[in-house]
Amino acid sequence: AQSVTQPDIHITVSEGASLELRCNYSYGATPYLFWYVQSPGQGLQLLLKYFSGDTLVQGIKGFEAEFKRSQSSFNLRKPSVHWSDAAEYFCAVGGGTGANNLFFGTGTRLTVIP
Amino acid sequence: DAGVIQSPRHEVTEMGQEVTLRCKPISGHNSLFWYRQTMMRGLELLIYFNNNVPIDDSGMPEDRFSAKMPNASFSTLKIQPSEPRDSAVYFCASSRSGDSGNTIYFGEGSWLTVV
């Protein structure tokens, strides 16, 4: 069965510190992996996605994520967090062509302290 | 470039009333999704359409909920009668099959409060 686990419900980091948000997935086929960000009162915005090729993918706002098949993980990272990064982050997995839907994790809420 | 457009953005209604949420997907996208987000249950897929045909409606909570997609540029989600437990944010999203792994793009959401 397809599923996504985000083990951290809430993370607090200081502005300027590095960040890593964890995501583990279960998917029966080759996964397509996504990270979305949701600011308060807003919809979900795509940060980055992985389909194939280089396992380290770059996204918007200085984020990157690394796909590790052996660990079934797709962790999101940022070297230096800004106060504006405070938001909810969702990891999602899908199967690409013919399998339109995405399965979302429960989200990780990021708080940034000055 | 217009994104997914939802209306209304906010709605407050009384229990028992009919609620209709509307969505215009991104032009050229052939898949449309309705999600519901609550604190308790997170993000749930209610239903999705492919080429205007409902593919999976297993997430629709009960018969009070219905969704239609009469054409490629419009969809509605209706709740009749509404109940307080339906209070949530309802997101519409769209994607294009085979395009970049079916990346799904979300609207800003319709914030529903049923009192």
Side-chain angles (χ1 to χ4, degrees), chain A residues 32 36 38 42 51 96 100, chain B residues 31 37 97 100-102 104 108:
Chain A
Y32 287 21
Y36 286 83
Q38 184 181 27
Q42 302 295 314
F51 305 137
N100 299 66
Chain B
S31 293
Q37 186 178 40
S97 295
S100 300
N102 299 327
I104 293 179
E108 295 286 288

Side-chain angles (χ1 to χ4, degrees), chain B:
Chain B
D1 215 11
V4 176
I5 300 173
Q6 293 185 246
S7 65
R9 285 297 314 279
H10 298 272
E11 174 138 356
V12 180
T13 191
E14 291 186 344
M15 182 174 65
Q17 296 299 305
E18 177 180 292
V19 174
T20 299
L21 308 179
R22 298 173 178 79
C23 176
K24 176 178 169 55
I26 293 172
S27 177
H29 282 193
N30 62 342
S31 293
L32 183 139
F33 307 80
W34 282 102
Y35 287 89
R36 178 173 67 177
Q37 186 178 40
T38 61
M39 289 291 292
M40 292 298 294
R41 300 174 68 90
L43 196 62
E44 304 173 276
L45 177 68
L46 299 178
I47 186 172
Y48 81 90
F49 297 83
N50 201 35
N51 295 323
N52 311 339
V53 175
I55 301 300
D56 182 357
D57 65 355
S58 59
M60 295 286 263
E62 47 195 277
D63 291 345
R64 298 184 296 106
F65 285 69
S66 62
K68 293 182 179 179
M69 192 165 185
N71 58 62
S73 59
F74 184 66
S75 176
T76 59
L77 178 67
K78 186 174 294 186
I79 308 172
Q80 167 64 20
S82 58
E83 296 182 3
R85 62 193 168 120
D86 301 330
S87 298
V89 185
Y90 291 82
F91 288 104
C92 179
S94 70
S95 71
R96 182 162 51 199
S97 295
D99 177 39
S100 300
N102 299 327
T103 302
I104 293 179
Y105 296 89
F106 284 78
E108 295 286 288
S110 291
W111 299 69
L112 174 64
T113 302
V114 183
V115 298

